[in-house]
Amino acid sequence: MKPASGFEELEISVLRAGDHVWLSAQSWMGSVFAVRREIPEWKLPNDVTGKTIDAPSGWLTDTVRHARTDAAVHALDVGKVLTDLVFGIPEIETLLQQSRGIAGRSGSQLLVRILAAPQEVCAWPWELLLDPQRPDQFLAMAHDVHVVRSGRSRTYPIRQTPIAPPLNLLLVMSSPLREGPEDSEAPFDLYAEKRSLLAELRPLVDRGLLRVVVEDRPSVERLRSRMGMQRRGFHLFHYLGHANPDGLKVERRNGRGMLLPSQEFALLLQQLPNLRLAVFAGCETARAPEGATDDDPWPGPLSSADICVRDACPMVIGMQAVLPFRTERLLTRFFYEALTAGQPVAEALRLARLAINGDENSGDPLLDWAVPCLFVGGSEPGAIIDPDAKARPEPSPRRISRRIGIRQGELRFISRLAELREGVDVLSGRTSARLLHVVGMPSTGKTALLDRVLEELEPQIANLFVSTKRLLAKPDPLHELCRLVAELMDDAGVRPARQGRLSAGDWWERLLDDLTEVPTAIVVDDGDLLVGDTPGASDLLAALVLLTQRRGDARLAVATTGELAGLTEPLRAAEVRTIRLDALSWPEVWQWIRRNLPTLTRYPEQDLSRLYTDVRHLELWEQLADLAAQNGTFEPRDLPQLVRQLGVGAAQQAPPVSNGSDFFGADSGAPDAEAAAAAPVRRALRLAVAGPFTAGRREEIAVAVTQCAIRHDVPGRVVAGETGQGESALAELLPQELAFAHGVPSERDVCRWLEDAALADADILVFDYGNAVPSDAQNAVIARLVGDGRLVIVSGDHSDEPAYPAWSADAFAVGAVEDDGTLTHETPYFPDAGKPDVYAPRTITGTTCERLVDRPEMEGTTFAALYVAVAAMLVWATDRDLAARDVRTLLVETATPIATAQGDTAKQLDVEAALDSARRKVIVGALGSDALELGQLLAEIPIRPELAVPLLDALVADGARIRRVVRNGVEQYERAGAAAGPRNE
């Protein structure tokens, strides 16, 4: 065997046979064959949940996923077992030392190739081999040694000749839609990672060493097209996305995910004859599928990395575990810096490992550095680029952008992939839409989303982001808009029309002609002010309408809290795209934590979810992760103290609410009844709760209701003692409860409480009160509140006679059912009156709602009414277009029929059925007269994809309201009653 030109090689094979392994080793200095060794016994710690770990691969996965700070000690233990297995054979250790000495004398490095089989042995973390010369150090980190994996086979000729710069890199980023709740793969902010990786690679691109092509919607068709279009082909392939041992995730044309088997992915890479290196940063791409048996034919199950080395690429870097994104960025920066500097691939990876291990957040005592594995297929992992060839620097494109009166947040804390995609498509001019309308309640991230969309546009698209509030503060708002657009055109190199003696309106029309010469995106925040009485607002609105009616490359985006008919109605359905935003839900926050803050995953998800009410921004979760790492105990009981260190939870007091004058004859200032009843609620819902068991527990109620929302997949949190306007609130818990704090209230107290809740603009009122004598005053005020568009829920504990005010026609009366579904004896059903309107469980013990009251073990209609109130709130928050009467009707219509002892039929609340019905209505309502693609539809509705996609499929299967069509090869959805256009289905 002759020494390799760049390395002195030592080849080691570890092959299992039955209950033992056979070891062999050879180098230029000699060889050792067929040494029988016993299978190692692993002494591994339990995982973070306390379960036993049997194999080192499982231990490494758990260690990296949860950022375990005790990893270093156990890594040395695992490394010692592997080292004793291999270098415990004196002849092999001698070969190592001799080969190392030869490499040192010749000025080269030692390349240790490990061929391990079958999959169980291959999955051992060989990168943790210890250095026999320094037993407390890892061999893979030594300055003169590289540890790589040998491919099991190779089916193509070796390609070794260095390439003149620039190296062409195809960066594939895959985060397709989740297919349903059972899809456990954590979605990631694809655009944020794209931005981060490109920023890391930008210096190499500017120096002419690297040319990067990004594919962020990687269907098989688009990948083939990308590969075929690239001049000189691609030399490097980098995949970042979801994967598992069976394959890598790509997208179908409709945006849904598809697992492409490893063999098929390798066939795809065969389109790249000049490919030298593939980096698979997906999960567990260096691990073979489980389930192998001794009877499997050769070569048995192989990892994605091993298959690609065999069929397509001489060098592949795969991952043994899920690499955190922050580590992926470090790996990308330092690896490609070294690679484009002319370093061998093995040395570039070693330098990247050292950088990761030395990083403050990803380094020692963590084991992120050990996750990447380099597989080679016969060639040496040498330099890819010719270091002597001259690179030609390329000028960076200049971004033309202006932000006027806009507060910009941290981009990496925004995570709305479907909405980002839709926004980028519209403002880039890739669709026929001329207007992007972003609708959402206050503090749902409309400004941040549009800011992110502009940042993701190609540099050649000039963009202006301005607040309506800033424009209206000027003496002539339209003139100010014209001035800003003219300056933007100047920056883009286009000479705009000058105002001269033109009016602002005439100047605007001239500027619209100039906008045809350059792709432009104009974004207007605080769009609700366009329909106000402020001078100049109507002129601005008319100017924006005129912009949307012109052909060309200019696109408009407007953010509002409600509909903006004056802007959208003049346009055809295909010319408007609407994105509806809701608060980030707990599952979205949890998925973000899983991919970005592995330290926090050492706590049970349930314990972290209880913090969702107070820890309201992703930035705060990052700070909490730092505090948890410093604390080091990872005990759930310590979490409240850590949260207090963040300085959150201090309530922002709600504006003072008048206690009202004496109810009788008082003027409540209520709005017009008909208008109020029909108006959708475009703010945090306001909930008023009163009763002897809930008094003084507003904070506990807020946390408990938030937990109920999490359980039922409704986004947002309930806040207490705050306005609910600034923290992505689902609902605000009002303070009106004094009338019920001390014993049974009087009729006057009840009326005053109802009045106070109305003055505080409560949407849902629930109270625990009743007697056998009806009250005209109570009935009158309840009737008026319901007429104003409020939902009044009353417990109907009445035994054998009607109870008031529950029996009022306008009150929503609630009865209780036993655990077996039968009616409790306190709440029989009165069919003539249809009361109670709905029944619910008599107790909330053992549920997420038990913290609503101070004695959850009690039972009765008190608790049933609270449960119905929470259900009403969740349904209303799901579909903001519903009025209070619609919520009440939906809860009754979706309730489960229950037979009474008298043969009548009552109704029992079914929360999931109610939410399912509301979500289906939202999906159908999003489809107007125009058909939408899946991504467009998902951006239009405030329902997470993993919930919306299965419902959409069910609606299509039913066929009554939605149908799926294919037009010009594009899959779309439309209402079943829509006129059928040309299609091939």
Side-chain angles (χ1 to χ4, degrees):
M1 175 184 292
K2 296 177 61 177
S5 58
F7 302 96
E8 177 72 26
E9 297 192 14
L10 171 62
E11 298 182 358
I12 299 173
S13 66
V14 187
L15 308 177
R16 177 174 176 175
D19 60 354
H20 59 276
V21 295
W22 293 98
L23 272 83
S24 299
Q26 60 178 333
S27 76
W28 179 247
M29 301 302 299
S31 60
V32 180
F33 293 109
V35 180
R36 175 174 172 148
R37 303 282 280 174
E38 297 298 322
I39 298 290
E41 293 186 5
W42 307 101
K43 296 180 180 179
L44 302 168
N46 293 338
D47 67 13
V48 294
T49 66
K51 295 181 180 178
T52 302
I53 300 178
D54 297 324
S57 56
W59 162 79
L60 183 61
T61 296
D62 179 74
T63 295
V64 174
R65 176 176 295 163
H66 301 292
R68 297 187 61 164
T69 54
D70 60 350
V73 173
H74 299 299
L76 290 173
D77 293 339
V78 171
K80 187 175 186 307
V81 172
L82 292 171
T83 304
D84 289 345
L85 175 68
V86 177
F87 299 123
I89 302 171
E91 292 82 357
I92 295 182
E93 183 181 7
T94 299
L95 275 181
L96 170 70
Q97 305 300 357
Q98 291 175 340
S99 301
R100 198 170 187 176
I102 291 293
R105 285 194 294 272
S106 63
S108 60
Q109 295 174 312
L110 176 63
L111 183 70
V112 178
R113 294 177 180 262
I114 296 179
L115 174 63
Q119 61 137 342
E120 175 193 349
V121 179
C122 186
W124 294 347
W126 293 102
E127 288 67 25
L128 297 183
L129 277 169
L130 300 180
D131 187 342
Q133 293 182 356
R134 294 178 296 174
D136 60 340
Q137 301 292 320
F138 297 102
L139 192 60
M141 306 286 268
H143 69 92
D144 60 339
V145 179
H146 300 297
V147 178
V148 302
R149 312 283 189 104
S150 286
R152 302 278 290 280
S153 62
R154 176 171 52 83
T155 60
Y156 50 84
I158 294 175
R159 298 182 289 273
Q160 288 284 137
T161 306
I163 300 168
L167 296 178
N168 293 333
L169 167 64
L170 178 57
L171 176 58
V172 175
M173 311 189 72
S174 180
S175 184
L177 297 170
R178 294 179 66 188
E179 293 288 338
E182 69 283 351
D183 187 349
S184 61
E185 290 179 332
F188 64 90
D189 190 339
L190 181 147
Y191 284 102
E193 295 312 311
K194 173 183 173 181
R195 166 178 298 281
S196 297
L197 293 181
L198 291 181
E200 301 289 2
L201 298 174
R202 171 53 56 188
L204 306 179
V205 175
D206 292 343
R207 289 159 53 195
L209 298 172
L210 198 64
R211 181 182 292 120
V212 182
V213 176
V214 180
E215 178 53 67
D216 54 20
R217 303 185 186 187
S219 66
V220 172
E221 293 82 1
R222 289 176 65 93
L223 286 174
R224 290 190 187 280
S225 177
R226 285 283 190 192
M227 293 174 180
M229 292 170 58
Q230 182 61 41
R231 186 180 180 185
R232 297 176 63 219
F234 287 103
H235 313 115
L236 309 173
F237 180 91
H238 190 114
Y239 174 92
L240 176 64
H242 294 302
N244 63 39
D246 293 300
L248 295 89
K249 272 285 188 75
V250 296
E251 292 188 10
R252 296 187 176 93
R253 294 184 64 180
N254 59 12
R256 302 192 189 209
M258 176 182 73
L259 186 70
L260 191 65
S262 303
Q263 292 87 344
E264 295 183 30
F265 205 97
L267 290 175
L268 194 61
L269 292 184
Q270 287 180 359
Q271 277 191 233
L272 303 174
N274 294 318
L275 184 64
R276 299 297 180 85
L277 171 69
V279 179
F280 292 145
C283 319
E284 300 181 336
T285 47
R287 185 168 297 174
E290 296 181 355
T293 67
D294 293 338
D295 297 329
D296 286 336
W298 185 91
L302 298 176
S303 68
S304 296
D306 220 335
I307 289 174
C308 285
V309 163
R310 180 190 69 187
D311 295 339
C313 185
M315 292 176 283
V316 176
I317 296 178
M319 303 297 153
Q320 302 183 76
V322 180
L323 197 66
F325 280 130
R326 63 189 180 195
T327 309
E328 159 69 17
R329 298 176 197 128
L330 290 171
L331 172 67
T332 299
R333 180 204 311 172
F334 290 100
F335 176 75
Y336 287 112
E337 278 182 356
L339 190 70
T340 54
Q343 296 284 1
V345 172
E347 177 66 6
L349 182 57
R350 188 184 72 87
L351 294 173
R353 291 191 199 276
L354 290 171
I356 293 170
N357 197 45
D359 182 72
E360 180 180 0
N361 296 312
S362 300
D364 188 51
L366 305 182
L367 285 183
D368 292 3
W369 67 266
V371 171
C373 303
L374 174 57
F375 288 76
V376 293
S379 60
E380 66 175 31
I384 295 178
I385 198 169
D386 183 355
D388 297 325
K390 186 175 181 179
R392 296 181 179 180
E394 297 184 3
S396 300
R398 186 170 67 95
R399 184 174 290 274
I400 305 163
S401 178
R402 285 177 173 262
R403 304 287 196 278
I404 310 296
I406 301 298
R407 180 187 179 277
Q408 293 184 285
E410 177 60 64
L411 290 174
R412 64 195 176 96
F413 292 116
I414 308 298
S415 183
R416 298 180 186 272
L417 179 57
E419 293 85 351
L420 273 171
R421 278 190 169 185
E422 185 65 11
V424 170
D425 281 352
V426 172
L427 296 189
S428 296
R430 298 172 187 166
T431 73
S432 60
R434 302 179 181 183
L435 170 65
L436 176 66
H437 188 196
V438 179
V439 185
M441 294 192 307
S443 297
T444 49
K446 301 183 294 295
T447 303
L449 173 70
L450 287 170
D451 187 32
R452 269 294 299 276
V453 169
L454 292 181
E455 291 293 334
E456 304 305 336
L457 298 180
E458 295 297 327
Q460 65 268 23
I461 300 177
N463 60 82
L464 168 66
F465 196 175
V466 63
S467 168
T468 306
K469 187 181 301 182
R470 176 70 174 264
L471 293 174
L472 294 177
K474 300 294 182 179
D476 187 344
L478 180 54
H479 178 274
E480 178 67 7
L481 178 61
C482 291
R483 185 185 68 81
L484 294 173
V485 171
E487 290 181 355
L488 189 71
M489 294 297 98
D490 267 332
D491 291 345
V494 175
R495 181 177 175 82
R498 304 303 177 186
Q499 182 179 12
R501 297 185 178 181
L502 296 174
S503 67
D506 291 339
W507 189 19
W508 178 250
E509 292 206 41
R510 296 285 184 88
L511 289 173
L512 292 182
D513 293 334
D514 296 329
L515 286 174
T516 61
E517 298 185 36
V518 59
T520 308
I522 297 177
V523 178
V524 179
D525 203 5
D526 303 312
D528 301 276
L529 299 175
L530 294 170
V531 294
D533 298 329
T534 306
S538 59
D539 293 337
L540 281 177
L541 181 60
L544 296 179
V545 170
L546 191 59
L547 171 63
T548 62
Q549 294 176 344
R550 294 291 187 96
R551 289 195 306 269
D553 294 329
R555 295 293 184 267
L556 173 67
V558 179
T560 66
T561 59
E563 303 301 326
L564 197 59
L567 187 60
T568 59
E569 285 183 353
L571 298 172
R572 294 184 293 107
E575 295 174 334
V576 182
R577 281 290 175 263
T578 302
I579 294 176
R580 300 187 186 276
L581 295 184
D582 216 329
L584 281 178
S585 65
W586 166 249
E588 290 172 309
V589 173
W590 173 239
Q591 299 287 13
W592 184 85
I593 289 172
R594 285 177 55 194
R595 293 308 300 259
N596 294 276
L597 305 175
T599 299
L600 290 183
T601 63
R602 298 186 64 178
Y603 297 101
E605 179 189 354
Q606 182 66 28
D607 291 292
L608 289 176
S609 72
R610 295 192 181 99
L611 309 179
Y612 174 67
T613 303
D614 291 327
V615 186
R616 301 173 183 180
H617 304 287
L618 299 180
E619 296 96 324
L620 292 175
W621 286 105
E622 186 173 61
Q623 294 174 32
L624 180 62
D626 292 338
L627 290 174
Q630 294 170 20
N631 179 269
T633 63
F634 299 102
E635 291 290 342
R637 63 174 179 270
D638 296 333
L639 283 172
Q641 176 60 35
L642 296 178
V643 171
R644 283 192 289 272
Q645 293 182 44
L646 295 176
V648 299
Q652 171 192 351
Q653 294 301 317
V657 178
S658 169
N659 289 328
S661 56
D662 190 37
F663 169 74
F664 299 99
D667 181 10
S668 70
D672 176 73
E674 183 176 351
V681 180
R682 301 298 184 193
R683 51 162 172 75
L685 293 167
R686 292 179 181 142
L687 178 66
V689 179
F693 302 109
T694 56
R697 297 182 58 81
R698 295 175 61 242
E699 294 292 341
E700 292 84 351
I701 292 174
V703 173
V705 178
T706 300
Q707 289 295 305
C708 289
I710 291 173
R711 176 182 177 185
H712 293 289
D713 295 306
V714 177
R717 53 182 61 80
V718 178
V719 297
E722 305 172 52
T723 64
Q725 294 300 310
E727 302 293 352
S728 298
L730 161 65
E732 172 191 348
L733 189 63
L734 297 175
Q736 283 70 22
E737 62 178 24
L738 296 178
F740 291 83
H742 305 288
V744 178
S746 66
E747 175 184 313
R748 191 181 191 86
D749 288 336
V750 173
C751 292
R752 186 183 300 279
W753 179 79
L754 292 168
E755 178 72 5
D756 287 348
L759 287 172
D761 209 11
D763 302 296
I764 301 173
L765 300 86
V766 55
F767 61 107
D768 178 19
Y769 167 82
N771 59 54
V773 180
S775 165
D776 291 340
Q778 290 176 6
N779 290 343
V781 70
I782 290 175
R784 181 160 57 82
L785 295 184
V786 172
D788 288 346
R790 312 180 201 279
L791 182 61
V792 181
I793 301 172
V794 189
S795 60
D797 194 348
H798 51 78
S799 188
D800 56 353
E801 60 184 7
Y804 297 91
W807 250 238
S808 166
D810 296 294
F812 194 28
V814 178
V817 295
E818 302 284 358
D819 294 340
D820 61 2
T822 60
L823 308 186
T824 61
H825 70 275
E826 297 91 353
T827 55
Y829 182 63
F830 287 68
D832 294 340
K835 296 286 184 174
D837 296 274
V838 72
Y839 285 81
R842 62 185 174 83
T843 178
I844 55 178
T845 301
T847 73
T848 54
C849 295
E850 68 179 2
R851 294 179 66 181
L852 287 169
V853 295
D854 61 349
R855 297 161 65 186
E857 74 280 358
M858 295 188 66
E859 56 187 51
T861 54
T862 295
F863 312 98
L866 287 170
Y867 196 65
V868 171
V870 173
M873 183 196 70
L874 299 182
V875 167
W876 208 342
T878 298
D879 187 355
R880 297 282 179 171
D881 289 331
L882 295 175
R885 60 174 177 267
D886 301 323
V887 175
R888 175 174 174 168
T889 299
L890 191 150
L891 291 177
V892 173
E893 289 181 347
T894 57
T896 303
I898 50 176
T900 69
Q902 292 75 29
D904 301 307
T905 301
K907 290 292 191 75
Q908 179 176 348
L909 178 71
D910 188 334
V911 181
E912 287 299 332
L915 286 170
D916 183 90
S917 177
R919 288 167 177 149
R920 288 174 184 245
K921 179 179 179 297
V922 169
I923 294 172
V924 175
L927 292 171
S929 59
D930 192 38
L932 297 177
E933 296 177 32
L934 180 60
Q936 296 168 345
L937 178 58
L938 292 175
E940 173 85 15
I941 58 177
I943 304 173
R944 300 201 316 277
E946 65 268 26
L947 300 176
V949 171
L951 288 174
L952 179 62
D953 290 341
L955 286 165
V956 169
D958 177 75
R961 290 184 282 178
I962 293 180
R963 66 186 177 195
R964 183 189 292 118
V965 298
V966 178
R967 294 191 175 97
N968 299 320
V970 178
E971 184 179 280
Q972 296 178 318
Y973 298 86
E974 64 183 13
R975 291 197 178 187
R983 63 183 185 275
N984 44 36
E985 297 182 81

